[in-house]
Amino acid sequence: MTTGAAAPPERGRMTGLSHDADGEPVPLAQERARPRRRLEDPFIGWTATLSITLVSLFLRLWKLGTPHAFEFDETYYAKDAWSLWHFGYARDYIDNDGGVANKHILNGQSTHLWKPDASMVVHPEVGKWLIGLGEKLFGFSPLGWRVVPAVIGTLLILVMIRFVRRLTGSTLLGCIAGLILSFDGLEFVLSRLALLDIFVAFFLLCAVHCLVLDRDWYRARLAALVPGQVEDDGWGPVKALLFRPWLLVSGICWGLACGSKWEAIYPLAAFGVLVVAWCAGARKSFGVTFAGPKSLLADGVPAFVHLVLVGLIVYLATWTGWLMHSSQYVEYLSDTQYTHYVSGGSDCGKNITFDNSKHWPTAGQPVRHGLPGLVQGLESLWYYHRDVYVFHTQFLTGCTHTYASQPRGWLLLNRPVGVDAETGIKPGTGGCDAPQGSDCLRQVILLGTPAVWWAGVLALIASLFWWIGARDWRFGIAVVGAASTWLPWFLYDGRPIFSFYSIITLPFLVLALTLVIGKLLGPSTAPTPRRTVGVVAAGSYVVLVMLNFAWFWPIYTDALLTHAEWLQRIWFSRWI
Protein backbone atom coordinates (compact mmCIF):
# COMPACT_ATOMS: atom_id res chain seq x y z
CA MET A 1 0.00 0.00 0.00
CA THR A 2 1.32 3.41 -0.88
CA THR A 3 0.80 6.28 1.48
CA GLY A 4 2.94 9.00 0.06
CA ALA A 5 3.52 11.00 -3.03
CA ALA A 6 1.38 11.31 -6.08
CA ALA A 7 1.49 8.53 -8.63
CA PRO A 8 2.71 9.61 -12.07
CA PRO A 9 -0.05 10.72 -14.45
CA GLU A 10 -1.69 7.71 -16.09
CA ARG A 11 -1.96 7.19 -19.82
CA GLY A 12 -0.86 10.20 -21.61
CA ARG A 13 0.10 13.52 -20.31
CA MET A 14 -1.67 16.57 -21.54
CA THR A 15 -1.42 15.45 -25.18
CA GLY A 16 0.58 12.93 -27.17
CA LEU A 17 1.19 9.19 -26.95
CA SER A 18 1.36 7.41 -23.63
CA HIS A 19 4.74 7.04 -21.99
CA ASP A 20 6.09 4.68 -19.39
CA ALA A 21 7.90 5.72 -16.21
CA ASP A 22 11.15 6.19 -18.15
CA GLY A 23 9.52 8.40 -20.77
CA GLU A 24 9.48 5.76 -23.53
CA PRO A 25 6.40 5.53 -25.81
CA VAL A 26 3.93 2.78 -24.89
CA PRO A 27 2.52 0.71 -27.79
CA LEU A 28 -1.23 0.96 -28.23
CA ALA A 29 -1.81 -2.68 -27.34
CA GLN A 30 0.00 -2.22 -24.04
CA GLU A 31 -1.94 1.00 -23.47
CA ARG A 32 -5.22 -0.90 -23.68
CA ALA A 33 -3.91 -3.61 -21.40
CA ARG A 34 -2.97 -1.17 -18.64
CA PRO A 35 -5.07 -1.42 -15.48
CA ARG A 36 -6.75 1.73 -14.28
CA ARG A 37 -4.91 3.72 -11.63
CA ARG A 38 -5.46 2.05 -8.30
CA LEU A 39 -6.40 4.01 -5.27
CA GLU A 40 -5.40 2.95 -1.79
CA ASP A 41 -7.47 0.80 0.53
CA PRO A 42 -10.99 2.33 0.53
CA PHE A 43 -11.62 1.55 4.21
CA ILE A 44 -8.50 3.46 5.29
CA GLY A 45 -9.33 6.21 2.82
CA TRP A 46 -12.86 6.74 4.10
CA THR A 47 -11.88 6.37 7.76
CA ALA A 48 -9.27 9.11 7.40
CA THR A 49 -11.63 11.28 5.35
CA LEU A 50 -14.51 11.05 7.83
CA SER A 51 -12.21 11.63 10.81
CA ILE A 52 -10.96 14.94 9.40
CA THR A 53 -14.49 15.85 8.31
CA LEU A 54 -15.98 15.27 11.78
CA VAL A 55 -13.25 17.32 13.47
CA SER A 56 -13.87 20.10 10.96
CA LEU A 57 -17.61 19.96 11.57
CA PHE A 58 -17.10 20.22 15.33
CA LEU A 59 -14.93 23.33 14.93
CA ARG A 60 -17.48 24.97 12.63
CA LEU A 61 -20.45 24.23 14.87
CA TRP A 62 -18.71 25.36 18.07
CA LYS A 63 -20.64 28.37 19.47
CA LEU A 64 -22.10 28.90 16.00
CA GLY A 65 -24.87 31.16 17.29
CA THR A 66 -22.43 33.79 18.57
CA PRO A 67 -22.28 36.64 18.08
CA HIS A 68 -26.04 37.03 18.35
CA ALA A 69 -26.18 39.54 15.53
CA PHE A 70 -26.39 39.97 11.78
CA GLU A 71 -22.80 39.79 10.57
CA PHE A 72 -22.01 41.75 7.40
CA ASP A 73 -24.37 40.76 4.52
CA GLU A 74 -26.24 38.23 6.65
CA THR A 75 -28.70 41.10 7.04
CA TYR A 76 -29.78 40.51 3.42
CA TYR A 77 -29.41 36.80 2.82
CA ALA A 78 -30.90 35.58 6.10
CA LYS A 79 -34.06 37.63 5.49
CA ASP A 80 -34.33 36.63 1.84
CA ALA A 81 -33.91 32.99 2.85
CA TRP A 82 -36.70 33.16 5.44
CA SER A 83 -38.93 34.92 2.95
CA LEU A 84 -38.31 32.31 0.22
CA TRP A 85 -39.39 29.47 2.47
CA HIS A 86 -42.50 31.26 3.76
CA PHE A 87 -43.74 33.19 0.72
CA GLY A 88 -42.00 31.54 -2.23
CA TYR A 89 -40.21 34.75 -3.18
CA ALA A 90 -38.07 37.38 -1.48
CA ARG A 91 -40.26 40.04 0.12
CA ASP A 92 -39.32 43.50 1.23
CA TYR A 93 -39.51 44.33 4.93
CA ILE A 94 -40.10 47.38 7.07
CA ASP A 95 -37.21 49.79 7.50
CA ASN A 96 -35.18 48.00 4.86
CA ASP A 97 -31.94 49.60 5.96
CA GLY A 98 -31.97 46.82 8.52
CA GLY A 99 -32.04 48.81 11.75
CA VAL A 100 -35.53 48.19 13.11
CA ALA A 101 -36.09 44.87 11.34
CA ASN A 102 -32.86 43.38 12.65
CA LYS A 103 -33.69 44.22 16.27
CA HIS A 104 -37.11 42.58 16.00
CA ILE A 105 -35.71 39.46 14.36
CA LEU A 106 -32.97 39.03 16.96
CA ASN A 107 -35.62 39.41 19.67
CA GLY A 108 -37.69 36.66 18.07
CA GLN A 109 -40.36 38.97 16.64
CA SER A 110 -40.44 38.63 12.87
CA THR A 111 -44.00 37.87 11.75
CA HIS A 112 -45.08 41.49 11.30
CA LEU A 113 -42.03 42.77 9.43
CA TRP A 114 -42.82 41.74 5.89
CA LYS A 115 -44.38 43.88 3.18
CA PRO A 116 -46.30 42.31 0.28
CA ASP A 117 -43.84 43.90 -2.17
CA ALA A 118 -41.12 41.83 -3.82
CA SER A 119 -37.55 42.64 -2.88
CA MET A 120 -34.97 43.55 -5.50
CA VAL A 121 -32.48 40.70 -4.98
CA VAL A 122 -29.20 40.91 -6.89
CA HIS A 123 -27.95 37.32 -6.54
CA PRO A 124 -29.48 33.97 -7.55
CA GLU A 125 -31.36 31.92 -5.00
CA VAL A 126 -29.72 28.52 -4.44
CA GLY A 127 -27.64 29.64 -1.47
CA LYS A 128 -30.59 31.47 0.06
CA TRP A 129 -32.84 28.42 -0.24
CA LEU A 130 -30.18 26.39 1.58
CA ILE A 131 -29.74 29.03 4.27
CA GLY A 132 -33.52 29.01 4.70
CA LEU A 133 -33.48 25.25 5.25
CA GLY A 134 -31.46 25.83 8.41
CA GLU A 135 -33.89 28.54 9.51
CA LYS A 136 -36.75 26.14 8.93
CA LEU A 137 -35.10 23.52 11.12
CA PHE A 138 -33.52 25.66 13.85
CA GLY A 139 -35.54 28.87 13.78
CA PHE A 140 -35.06 32.38 12.47
CA SER A 141 -31.94 33.03 14.53
CA PRO A 142 -28.17 33.26 14.03
CA LEU A 143 -27.85 29.52 14.64
CA GLY A 144 -30.61 28.82 12.14
CA TRP A 145 -29.18 30.85 9.30
CA ARG A 146 -25.59 29.70 9.88
CA VAL A 147 -25.99 25.95 10.34
CA VAL A 148 -26.30 24.97 6.67
CA PRO A 149 -23.26 27.07 5.63
CA ALA A 150 -21.35 25.24 8.39
CA VAL A 151 -22.39 21.87 7.00
CA ILE A 152 -21.59 22.91 3.42
CA GLY A 153 -18.22 24.30 4.48
CA THR A 154 -17.47 20.95 6.13
CA LEU A 155 -18.58 19.01 3.07
CA LEU A 156 -16.23 21.19 1.01
CA ILE A 157 -13.37 19.70 3.05
CA LEU A 158 -14.64 16.18 2.49
CA VAL A 159 -14.85 16.73 -1.27
CA MET A 160 -11.35 18.25 -1.23
CA ILE A 161 -9.92 15.12 0.38
CA ARG A 162 -11.60 12.77 -2.08
CA PHE A 163 -10.71 15.04 -5.02
CA VAL A 164 -6.99 15.09 -4.23
CA ARG A 165 -7.03 11.39 -3.44
CA ARG A 166 -8.55 10.73 -6.86
CA LEU A 167 -5.93 12.88 -8.56
CA THR A 168 -2.93 11.42 -6.76
CA GLY A 169 -3.94 7.93 -5.66
CA SER A 170 -2.65 8.86 -2.19
CA THR A 171 -4.75 8.93 0.97
CA LEU A 172 -1.96 10.79 2.74
CA LEU A 173 -1.98 13.63 0.22
CA GLY A 174 -5.77 13.74 0.29
CA CYS A 175 -5.70 14.12 4.07
CA ILE A 176 -3.02 16.80 3.86
CA ALA A 177 -5.22 18.77 1.47
CA GLY A 178 -8.19 18.35 3.80
CA LEU A 179 -6.24 19.53 6.83
CA ILE A 180 -4.87 22.58 5.01
CA LEU A 181 -8.36 23.58 3.87
CA SER A 182 -9.90 22.84 7.26
CA PHE A 183 -7.42 25.10 9.03
CA ASP A 184 -7.71 28.03 6.67
CA GLY A 185 -9.27 31.02 8.37
CA LEU A 186 -11.23 32.30 5.37
CA GLU A 187 -12.88 28.94 4.75
CA PHE A 188 -13.53 28.56 8.47
CA VAL A 189 -15.21 31.94 8.98
CA LEU A 190 -17.25 31.75 5.77
CA SER A 191 -18.49 28.35 6.96
CA ARG A 192 -19.89 30.14 10.01
CA LEU A 193 -21.66 32.96 8.13
CA ALA A 194 -24.89 33.08 6.14
CA LEU A 195 -23.19 34.37 2.99
CA LEU A 196 -23.41 32.84 -0.48
CA ASP A 197 -19.74 32.37 -1.33
CA ILE A 198 -19.24 29.09 0.55
CA PHE A 199 -21.98 27.51 -1.58
CA VAL A 200 -20.29 28.63 -4.80
CA ALA A 201 -16.98 27.13 -3.65
CA PHE A 202 -18.64 23.83 -2.72
CA PHE A 203 -20.59 23.31 -5.94
CA LEU A 204 -17.65 24.49 -8.03
CA LEU A 205 -15.26 21.97 -6.47
CA CYS A 206 -17.87 19.22 -6.86
CA ALA A 207 -18.17 20.13 -10.54
CA VAL A 208 -14.41 19.96 -11.10
CA HIS A 209 -14.16 16.69 -9.19
CA CYS A 210 -16.79 15.23 -11.52
CA LEU A 211 -14.74 16.40 -14.51
CA VAL A 212 -11.75 14.42 -13.21
CA LEU A 213 -14.00 11.39 -12.72
CA ASP A 214 -15.21 11.87 -16.28
CA ARG A 215 -11.60 11.97 -17.49
CA ASP A 216 -10.96 8.58 -15.88
CA TRP A 217 -14.23 7.20 -17.22
CA TYR A 218 -13.50 8.47 -20.73
CA ARG A 219 -10.05 6.89 -20.89
CA ALA A 220 -11.35 3.62 -19.45
CA ARG A 221 -13.97 3.47 -22.20
CA LEU A 222 -11.30 4.09 -24.83
CA ALA A 223 -9.09 1.37 -23.37
CA ALA A 224 -12.01 -1.11 -23.39
CA LEU A 225 -12.58 -0.82 -27.14
CA VAL A 226 -11.95 -3.76 -29.43
CA PRO A 227 -8.40 -3.52 -30.91
CA GLY A 228 -8.44 -1.85 -34.29
CA GLN A 229 -11.67 0.13 -33.76
CA VAL A 230 -9.89 3.37 -32.94
CA GLU A 231 -7.38 3.17 -35.74
CA ASP A 232 -9.76 2.05 -38.48
CA ASP A 233 -12.39 4.78 -38.32
CA GLY A 234 -9.85 7.60 -38.02
CA TRP A 235 -11.84 9.49 -35.38
CA GLY A 236 -12.00 7.18 -32.47
CA PRO A 237 -15.36 6.41 -30.85
CA VAL A 238 -18.10 8.99 -31.11
CA LYS A 239 -21.43 7.31 -30.44
CA ALA A 240 -20.03 5.31 -27.52
CA LEU A 241 -19.04 8.54 -25.76
CA LEU A 242 -22.03 10.77 -26.47
CA PHE A 243 -23.52 10.18 -23.03
CA ARG A 244 -21.06 10.76 -20.23
CA PRO A 245 -22.59 10.34 -16.76
CA TRP A 246 -19.95 12.21 -14.75
CA LEU A 247 -20.06 15.08 -17.19
CA LEU A 248 -23.82 15.24 -16.64
CA VAL A 249 -23.38 15.38 -12.86
CA SER A 250 -20.77 18.09 -13.34
CA GLY A 251 -23.26 20.10 -15.40
CA ILE A 252 -25.77 19.86 -12.56
CA CYS A 253 -23.14 21.11 -10.12
CA TRP A 254 -22.20 23.99 -12.43
CA GLY A 255 -25.87 24.97 -12.60
CA LEU A 256 -26.07 25.03 -8.80
CA ALA A 257 -22.82 27.00 -8.56
CA CYS A 258 -24.08 29.63 -11.00
CA GLY A 259 -27.40 29.50 -9.15
CA SER A 260 -25.57 30.66 -6.04
CA LYS A 261 -23.53 33.42 -7.70
CA TRP A 262 -22.79 34.26 -11.32
CA GLU A 263 -19.03 34.22 -10.74
CA ALA A 264 -19.02 30.47 -11.44
CA ILE A 265 -19.59 31.17 -15.16
CA TYR A 266 -15.91 31.95 -15.75
CA PRO A 267 -14.46 28.68 -14.40
CA LEU A 268 -17.23 26.80 -16.22
CA ALA A 269 -15.97 28.21 -19.52
CA ALA A 270 -12.31 27.56 -18.64
CA PHE A 271 -12.83 23.96 -17.55
CA GLY A 272 -15.06 23.31 -20.55
CA VAL A 273 -12.07 24.09 -22.76
CA LEU A 274 -9.81 21.95 -20.57
CA VAL A 275 -12.18 18.97 -20.87
CA VAL A 276 -11.95 19.09 -24.67
CA ALA A 277 -8.14 19.31 -24.40
CA TRP A 278 -8.12 16.24 -22.17
CA CYS A 279 -10.27 14.35 -24.67
CA ALA A 280 -8.00 15.36 -27.54
CA GLY A 281 -4.97 14.12 -25.61
CA ALA A 282 -6.71 10.83 -24.88
CA ARG A 283 -7.67 10.28 -28.51
CA LYS A 284 -4.14 11.08 -29.65
CA SER A 285 -2.67 8.63 -27.15
CA PHE A 286 -4.87 5.94 -28.67
CA GLY A 287 -3.66 6.62 -32.19
CA VAL A 288 -6.18 9.14 -33.56
CA THR A 289 -4.58 11.55 -36.04
CA PHE A 290 -5.50 15.27 -35.96
CA ALA A 291 -6.99 14.55 -32.56
CA GLY A 292 -7.43 18.22 -31.61
CA PRO A 293 -9.81 19.31 -34.42
CA LYS A 294 -11.64 16.00 -34.30
CA SER A 295 -12.09 16.15 -30.54
CA LEU A 296 -13.40 19.71 -30.80
CA LEU A 297 -16.40 18.33 -32.68
CA ALA A 298 -16.69 14.81 -31.32
CA ASP A 299 -16.19 15.78 -27.67
CA GLY A 300 -16.81 19.53 -27.66
CA VAL A 301 -20.46 19.22 -28.63
CA PRO A 302 -21.31 16.58 -25.97
CA ALA A 303 -19.36 18.60 -23.40
CA PHE A 304 -21.36 21.72 -24.27
CA VAL A 305 -24.62 19.81 -23.91
CA HIS A 306 -23.66 18.14 -20.63
CA LEU A 307 -22.09 21.20 -19.00
CA VAL A 308 -23.69 24.31 -20.48
CA LEU A 309 -27.17 23.21 -21.51
CA VAL A 310 -27.71 20.98 -18.49
CA GLY A 311 -26.27 23.71 -16.28
CA LEU A 312 -28.65 26.25 -17.83
CA ILE A 313 -31.67 24.01 -17.22
CA VAL A 314 -30.64 23.50 -13.60
CA TYR A 315 -30.02 27.23 -13.21
CA LEU A 316 -33.49 28.10 -14.53
CA ALA A 317 -35.01 25.46 -12.25
CA THR A 318 -33.47 27.22 -9.25
CA TRP A 319 -35.65 30.24 -10.10
CA THR A 320 -38.88 28.23 -9.81
CA GLY A 321 -40.07 30.25 -6.82
CA TRP A 322 -39.45 33.47 -8.73
CA LEU A 323 -41.27 32.19 -11.81
CA MET A 324 -44.26 31.11 -9.74
CA HIS A 325 -44.49 34.64 -8.33
CA SER A 326 -43.20 36.63 -11.29
CA SER A 327 -46.32 38.82 -11.22
CA GLN A 328 -45.14 40.19 -7.87
CA TYR A 329 -41.91 41.36 -9.50
CA VAL A 330 -43.66 42.77 -12.54
CA GLU A 331 -45.81 44.95 -10.29
CA TYR A 332 -42.93 45.95 -8.05
CA LEU A 333 -40.39 46.63 -10.77
CA SER A 334 -42.74 48.94 -12.67
CA ASP A 335 -43.30 51.32 -9.80
CA THR A 336 -41.38 54.42 -8.74
CA GLN A 337 -39.65 52.63 -5.86
CA TYR A 338 -37.59 50.56 -8.27
CA THR A 339 -36.91 53.55 -10.49
CA HIS A 340 -35.56 55.42 -7.46
CA TYR A 341 -33.51 52.37 -6.43
CA VAL A 342 -31.60 52.12 -9.67
CA SER A 343 -31.51 55.77 -10.59
CA GLY A 344 -29.51 56.98 -7.66
CA GLY A 345 -30.95 56.79 -4.19
CA SER A 346 -27.32 57.26 -3.15
CA ASP A 347 -24.21 58.76 -4.69
CA CYS A 348 -23.50 55.44 -6.40
CA GLY A 349 -24.74 54.98 -9.92
CA LYS A 350 -26.91 58.07 -9.94
CA ASN A 351 -26.28 58.43 -13.67
CA ILE A 352 -28.13 55.16 -14.33
CA THR A 353 -31.78 55.66 -15.25
CA PHE A 354 -34.52 53.32 -16.39
CA ASP A 355 -37.75 53.94 -18.22
CA ASN A 356 -39.47 50.82 -16.96
CA SER A 357 -42.38 51.12 -19.37
CA LYS A 358 -39.88 50.40 -22.15
CA HIS A 359 -37.17 48.53 -20.28
CA TRP A 360 -39.57 46.01 -18.69
CA PRO A 361 -42.03 45.07 -21.46
CA THR A 362 -44.04 42.71 -19.24
CA ALA A 363 -44.86 45.51 -16.79
CA GLY A 364 -48.56 46.31 -16.80
CA GLN A 365 -49.55 43.19 -18.75
CA PRO A 366 -52.26 40.95 -17.29
CA VAL A 367 -50.90 37.88 -15.55
CA ARG A 368 -51.22 34.77 -17.74
CA HIS A 369 -51.51 31.14 -16.71
CA GLY A 370 -50.38 27.80 -18.07
CA LEU A 371 -47.79 27.73 -20.84
CA PRO A 372 -48.33 31.41 -21.79
CA GLY A 373 -47.76 32.24 -18.14
CA LEU A 374 -44.48 30.34 -18.14
CA VAL A 375 -43.36 32.19 -21.26
CA GLN A 376 -44.35 35.49 -19.66
CA GLY A 377 -42.46 34.55 -16.50
CA LEU A 378 -39.31 33.60 -18.44
CA GLU A 379 -39.50 36.87 -20.35
CA SER A 380 -39.79 38.78 -17.09
CA LEU A 381 -36.90 36.78 -15.66
CA TRP A 382 -34.76 37.72 -18.67
CA TYR A 383 -35.36 41.45 -18.14
CA TYR A 384 -34.85 41.02 -14.43
CA HIS A 385 -31.44 39.47 -15.11
CA ARG A 386 -30.60 42.35 -17.40
CA ASP A 387 -31.38 44.81 -14.63
CA VAL A 388 -29.32 42.83 -12.12
CA TYR A 389 -26.39 42.79 -14.56
CA VAL A 390 -26.64 46.57 -14.91
CA PHE A 391 -26.71 46.82 -11.12
CA HIS A 392 -23.47 44.87 -10.78
CA THR A 393 -21.60 46.39 -13.72
CA GLN A 394 -22.77 50.03 -13.68
CA PHE A 395 -24.80 50.99 -10.65
CA LEU A 396 -22.02 50.19 -8.16
CA THR A 397 -19.28 51.81 -10.22
CA GLY A 398 -17.66 54.59 -8.25
CA CYS A 399 -19.03 53.41 -4.91
CA THR A 400 -16.71 52.98 -1.95
CA HIS A 401 -16.62 50.63 1.03
CA THR A 402 -14.34 50.48 4.03
CA TYR A 403 -13.32 46.88 3.35
CA ALA A 404 -13.25 46.98 -0.45
CA SER A 405 -9.95 45.93 -2.02
CA GLN A 406 -8.25 45.35 -5.33
CA PRO A 407 -8.08 41.73 -6.54
CA ARG A 408 -4.37 41.98 -7.32
CA GLY A 409 -3.67 41.64 -3.61
CA TRP A 410 -6.29 39.09 -2.60
CA LEU A 411 -4.03 36.05 -2.75
CA LEU A 412 -1.56 37.89 -0.50
CA LEU A 413 -4.33 38.81 1.99
CA ASN A 414 -4.06 42.52 1.27
CA ARG A 415 -7.34 43.58 2.88
CA PRO A 416 -9.39 41.26 5.12
CA VAL A 417 -13.03 42.04 5.85
CA GLY A 418 -14.30 42.70 9.35
CA VAL A 419 -17.80 41.25 9.68
CA ASP A 420 -18.50 42.01 13.33
CA ALA A 421 -16.85 43.94 16.14
CA GLU A 422 -17.57 45.01 19.70
CA THR A 423 -15.05 47.57 20.86
CA GLY A 424 -14.42 49.69 23.93
CA ILE A 425 -15.10 46.97 26.53
CA LYS A 426 -13.87 48.46 29.80
CA PRO A 427 -11.56 46.60 32.23
CA GLY A 428 -13.54 44.51 34.69
CA THR A 429 -16.53 44.38 32.32
CA GLY A 430 -17.55 41.10 30.69
CA GLY A 431 -14.32 39.35 31.64
CA CYS A 432 -12.00 42.06 30.29
CA ASP A 433 -8.67 41.91 32.13
CA ALA A 434 -6.98 44.75 30.27
CA PRO A 435 -4.90 47.17 32.36
CA GLN A 436 -6.41 50.48 33.35
CA GLY A 437 -6.29 53.00 30.55
CA SER A 438 -6.81 50.28 27.95
CA ASP A 439 -9.78 48.20 26.89
CA CYS A 440 -10.88 44.91 25.32
CA LEU A 441 -12.70 44.03 22.14
CA ARG A 442 -14.26 41.20 20.19
CA GLN A 443 -13.98 40.80 16.43
CA VAL A 444 -14.81 38.39 13.63
CA ILE A 445 -12.62 38.90 10.58
CA LEU A 446 -12.56 37.23 7.17
CA LEU A 447 -8.84 36.53 6.90
CA GLY A 448 -7.16 33.51 5.38
CA THR A 449 -4.44 31.68 7.25
CA PRO A 450 -1.25 33.38 6.00
CA ALA A 451 0.75 30.14 6.00
CA VAL A 452 -1.78 28.71 3.53
CA TRP A 453 -2.15 31.65 1.18
CA TRP A 454 1.41 32.89 0.97
CA ALA A 455 2.80 29.40 0.43
CA GLY A 456 -0.09 28.71 -1.93
CA VAL A 457 0.96 31.55 -4.23
CA LEU A 458 4.46 30.06 -4.50
CA ALA A 459 2.99 26.61 -5.10
CA LEU A 460 0.76 28.02 -7.83
CA ILE A 461 3.78 29.49 -9.63
CA ALA A 462 5.55 26.13 -9.35
CA SER A 463 2.42 24.42 -10.67
CA LEU A 464 2.54 26.51 -13.81
CA PHE A 465 6.06 25.27 -14.54
CA TRP A 466 5.18 21.62 -13.78
CA TRP A 467 2.11 21.84 -16.00
CA ILE A 468 3.92 23.39 -18.97
CA GLY A 469 7.39 21.93 -18.46
CA ALA A 470 6.59 18.42 -17.20
CA ARG A 471 3.19 18.34 -18.91
CA ASP A 472 1.56 17.01 -15.75
CA TRP A 473 -2.16 17.55 -16.29
CA ARG A 474 -2.97 17.61 -12.59
CA PHE A 475 -1.05 20.83 -12.06
CA GLY A 476 -3.09 22.26 -14.93
CA ILE A 477 -6.23 21.89 -12.84
CA ALA A 478 -4.70 24.05 -10.12
CA VAL A 479 -3.53 26.70 -12.59
CA VAL A 480 -6.74 26.86 -14.64
CA GLY A 481 -8.89 26.79 -11.52
CA ALA A 482 -7.01 29.59 -9.79
CA ALA A 483 -6.79 31.75 -12.92
CA SER A 484 -10.45 31.39 -13.88
CA THR A 485 -11.73 32.17 -10.38
CA TRP A 486 -9.39 35.09 -9.65
CA LEU A 487 -8.48 36.96 -12.85
CA PRO A 488 -12.08 37.79 -13.93
CA TRP A 489 -12.42 40.04 -10.88
CA PHE A 490 -10.02 42.50 -12.50
CA LEU A 491 -12.87 43.34 -14.89
CA TYR A 492 -14.86 44.72 -11.96
CA ASP A 493 -12.22 46.49 -9.89
CA GLY A 494 -13.98 49.83 -10.42
CA ARG A 495 -16.74 48.84 -8.00
CA PRO A 496 -16.53 47.65 -4.38
CA ILE A 497 -15.37 44.04 -4.32
CA PHE A 498 -14.02 42.09 -1.37
CA SER A 499 -11.16 39.73 -0.71
CA PHE A 500 -13.40 36.95 0.59
CA TYR A 501 -14.67 36.44 -2.97
CA SER A 502 -11.41 34.51 -3.45
CA ILE A 503 -12.83 31.59 -1.43
CA ILE A 504 -13.55 29.95 -4.80
CA THR A 505 -9.84 30.20 -5.62
CA LEU A 506 -8.75 28.63 -2.33
CA PRO A 507 -9.35 24.94 -3.25
CA PHE A 508 -7.02 25.34 -6.22
CA LEU A 509 -4.33 26.95 -4.07
CA VAL A 510 -4.66 24.00 -1.70
CA LEU A 511 -4.44 21.61 -4.65
CA ALA A 512 -1.26 23.32 -5.86
CA LEU A 513 0.23 23.11 -2.37
CA THR A 514 -0.61 19.43 -2.03
CA LEU A 515 0.77 18.49 -5.44
CA VAL A 516 4.00 20.31 -4.66
CA ILE A 517 4.18 18.48 -1.33
CA GLY A 518 3.74 15.24 -3.29
CA LYS A 519 6.71 16.17 -5.45
CA LEU A 520 8.68 16.98 -2.31
CA LEU A 521 7.87 13.60 -0.77
CA GLY A 522 8.89 11.68 -3.87
CA PRO A 523 7.98 8.04 -4.63
CA SER A 524 6.90 5.93 -1.68
CA THR A 525 8.24 2.64 -3.01
CA ALA A 526 11.27 2.60 -0.72
CA PRO A 527 12.61 4.81 2.09
CA THR A 528 15.25 7.24 0.89
CA PRO A 529 16.97 10.23 2.49
CA ARG A 530 15.04 12.48 0.08
CA ARG A 531 11.74 11.02 1.21
CA THR A 532 12.69 11.35 4.87
CA VAL A 533 13.48 15.02 4.37
CA GLY A 534 10.25 15.45 2.41
CA VAL A 535 8.16 13.84 5.14
CA VAL A 536 9.72 16.06 7.80
CA ALA A 537 9.25 19.21 5.68
CA ALA A 538 5.65 18.36 4.76
CA GLY A 539 4.75 17.46 8.33
CA SER A 540 6.35 20.64 9.64
CA TYR A 541 4.39 22.72 7.16
CA VAL A 542 1.06 21.17 8.13
CA VAL A 543 1.85 21.80 11.81
CA LEU A 544 2.77 25.40 10.96
CA VAL A 545 -0.62 25.86 9.25
CA MET A 546 -2.42 24.53 12.33
CA LEU A 547 -0.43 26.76 14.69
CA ASN A 548 -1.00 29.77 12.47
CA PHE A 549 -4.74 29.05 12.48
CA ALA A 550 -4.73 28.66 16.27
CA TRP A 551 -3.02 32.04 16.65
CA PHE A 552 -5.80 33.78 14.73
CA TRP A 553 -8.56 31.71 16.35
CA PRO A 554 -9.72 34.55 18.66
CA ILE A 555 -10.41 36.92 15.73
CA TYR A 556 -12.13 34.14 13.83
CA THR A 557 -14.54 33.32 16.66
CA ASP A 558 -15.45 36.62 18.37
CA ALA A 559 -13.28 35.83 21.40
CA LEU A 560 -12.50 38.47 24.01
CA LEU A 561 -9.05 40.06 23.57
CA THR A 562 -7.23 42.92 25.18
CA HIS A 563 -6.27 45.68 22.78
CA ALA A 564 -2.63 44.58 22.97
CA GLU A 565 -3.53 40.95 22.18
CA TRP A 566 -5.61 42.08 19.23
CA LEU A 567 -2.75 44.16 17.80
CA GLN A 568 -0.47 41.11 17.98
CA ARG A 569 -2.77 39.46 15.43
CA ILE A 570 -3.16 42.47 13.16
CA TRP A 571 0.16 42.18 11.35
CA PHE A 572 -0.32 45.03 8.89
CA SER A 573 -2.06 48.40 9.03
CA ARG A 574 -4.22 47.40 6.06
CA TRP A 575 -5.71 44.64 8.20
CA ILE A 576 -7.39 47.18 10.50
Side-chain angles (χ1 to χ4, degrees), residues 325-378:
H325 300 88
S326 61
S327 60
Q328 298 288 339
Y329 285 88
V330 171
E331 294 173 4
Y332 170 58
L333 295 171
S334 61
D335 66 17
T336 56
Q337 182 179 8
Y338 177 66
T339 304
H340 175 75
Y341 181 84
V342 298
S343 63
S346 70
D347 291 336
C348 301
K350 58 185 177 182
N351 59 321
I352 307 299
T353 57
F354 285 89
D355 181 355
N356 285 313
S357 62
K358 297 178 181 178
H359 185 69
W360 194 277
T362 53
Q365 293 182 2
V367 177
R368 302 169 188 166
H369 301 282
L371 183 59
L374 176 61
V375 173
Q376 182 188 45
L378 289 172

Side-chain angles (χ1 to χ4, degrees), residues 318 388 541:
T318 67
V388 171
Y541 173 71

Side-chain angles (χ1 to χ4, degrees), residues 68 126 133 145 149 173 231-232 289 354 356 363 500 538:
H68 189 74
V126 170
L133 175 62
W145 60 67
L173 288 178
E231 297 90 341
D232 293 342
T289 58
F354 285 89
N356 285 313
F500 67 84

Side-chain angles (χ1 to χ4, degrees), residues 370-411:
L371 183 59
L374 176 61
V375 173
Q376 182 188 45
L378 289 172
E379 184 183 7
S380 296
L381 186 62
W382 166 256
Y383 288 108
Y384 184 82
H385 274 61
R386 189 167 72 173
D387 287 359
V388 171
Y389 179 76
V390 169
F391 173 84
H392 284 296
T393 58
Q394 299 182 41
F395 179 68
L396 294 176
T397 300
C399 300
T400 59
H401 192 285
T402 302
Y403 291 112
S405 58
Q406 292 294 310
R408 61 176 176 268
W410 287 357
L411 304 188

Side-chain angles (χ1 to χ4, degrees), residues 467-541:
W467 182 34
I468 297 174
R471 299 171 69 189
D472 189 330
W473 64 277
R474 299 165 302 171
F475 287 93
I477 297 175
V479 173
V480 171
S484 62
T485 55
W486 173 52
L487 294 179
W489 286 111
F490 286 83
L491 300 173
Y492 308 102
D493 59 1
R495 50 153 288 187
I497 50 179
F498 304 95
S499 59
F500 67 84
Y501 294 169
S502 60
I503 183 63
I504 60 175
T505 308
L506 176 61
F508 302 104
L509 287 182
V510 173
L511 174 60
L513 275 167
T514 309
L515 292 176
V516 170
I517 288 173
K519 290 288 187 181
L520 184 65
L521 290 174
S524 59
T525 52
T528 62
R530 171 194 167 183
R531 182 165 177 80
T532 301
V533 172
V535 168
V536 172
S540 300
Y541 173 71

